Amino acid sequence: MRELIKNTNIDFMGIKKYAFIFSGALVLLGLIGTVQIYRGHANLGIDLAGGTSIQMRFQKPIEMDKVRALLTGMGHGEANLQGVPGENILIIKVGAKGKEEKMVSEQVIALLKEKLPDNPVTVESIAEIGPAIGKKLRSDAILALAVSAIAIIVYLAWRFEFKFGVAAAVATFHDVAALTGIFFLLGKEMDLLFITALLTIGGYSLTDTVVVFDRIRENIRLRKKPTFSETINLSVNEVLSRTVVTSLTVFLTCVALLFLGGIVLREFALALTIGVVVGTYSSIFVASPIVAIWRGEKMVEVKR
């Protein structure tokens, strides 16, 4: 691989306390966001909270104010409207009210066809999810994240040692919390695609962390430096070019998806774009320093 950055000598461990402060703020934000999700004060998608999503294509440009007024008149003033400029596509999302299982797609479609007779509409897709199913999907998503964290610890404990596994799991939790907190702060919708993005970023971050851990293990064996912190600095600097090239490539791909992938994938792409940055940061400034603090400066060879 071509090296973009050569012969760096950055003291990453020297700024670990500032990194921990920054990471602590991100995790705190994530915990606040998680609490607000359980209190029902976050912007959850219909697949996690229950509700109806209708995608329609009109023959003429859409008068959003008129559609909003019609929905308010039938008691759905809180509905989320998303238009696709230039394509006359409108996505209407109506949240479930309490434990009510009643779906509203037929009433909404009939209303728009009746009140907008001069602008014919074609229904492209309908998704209706009851509150009970939304709650089940939310529980399953949390279970998937917990299982992935346990799998990470087991895998890295087998490949390296237990302390490396816990450090990688903490870094992954940091990424998930940071992304959840940022999305909550921005008021962005969190749905199953967002959960998919969390798992994807967790896997990406883990791969980057394993590369750094591999180099640390190799440098411990070769005894290039007298202390563990210096060995971490050496290892991160040696793989820094690979990290930058890989992360930049994935980041640019996510940015392209963000601007060219269409409205349906926009928030998924935004989660990936932010997640790549956070995941790259955590593999350098979270996982390795935790191992250094836990193991101490003594150069004990990694068990495997």
Side-chain angles (χ1 to χ4, degrees), residues 16-116:
K16 64 176 183 295
K17 67 176 181 181
Y18 302 107
F20 281 154
I21 293 172
F22 179 64
S23 295
L26 286 178
V27 172
L28 179 61
L29 181 61
L31 292 176
I32 293 172
T34 304
V35 170
Q36 294 298 82
I37 288 172
Y38 275 96
R39 293 181 63 197
H41 294 169
N43 184 8
L44 292 181
I46 63 163
D47 36 13
L48 294 180
T52 301
S53 174
I54 311 165
Q55 180 171 322
M56 297 177 286
R57 182 185 293 274
F58 289 82
Q59 286 190 1
K60 300 177 183 176
I62 306 161
E63 298 178 61
M64 299 293 280
D65 292 340
K66 194 171 183 179
V67 174
R68 170 70 68 190
L70 290 172
L71 292 174
T72 301
M74 68 179 299
H76 296 297
E78 80 292 348
N80 181 12
L81 306 183
Q82 291 179 290
V84 181
E87 297 189 29
N88 299 334
I89 291 177
L90 176 64
I91 300 174
I92 300 176
K93 295 181 179 179
V94 182
K97 296 179 179 178
K99 297 181 180 179
E100 188 179 0
E101 294 284 351
K102 184 180 178 181
M103 300 306 170
V104 298
S105 61
E106 292 183 4
Q107 294 95 316
V108 171
I109 294 168
L111 177 72
L112 295 182
K113 285 184 176 178
E114 178 188 348
K115 300 297 181 181
L116 304 173

Side-chain angles (χ1 to χ4, degrees), residues 153-164:
I153 293 175
V154 171
Y155 169 69
L156 289 185
W158 167 75
R159 182 163 176 180
F160 295 92
E161 59 184 45
F162 181 70
K163 293 172 184 174
F164 283 79

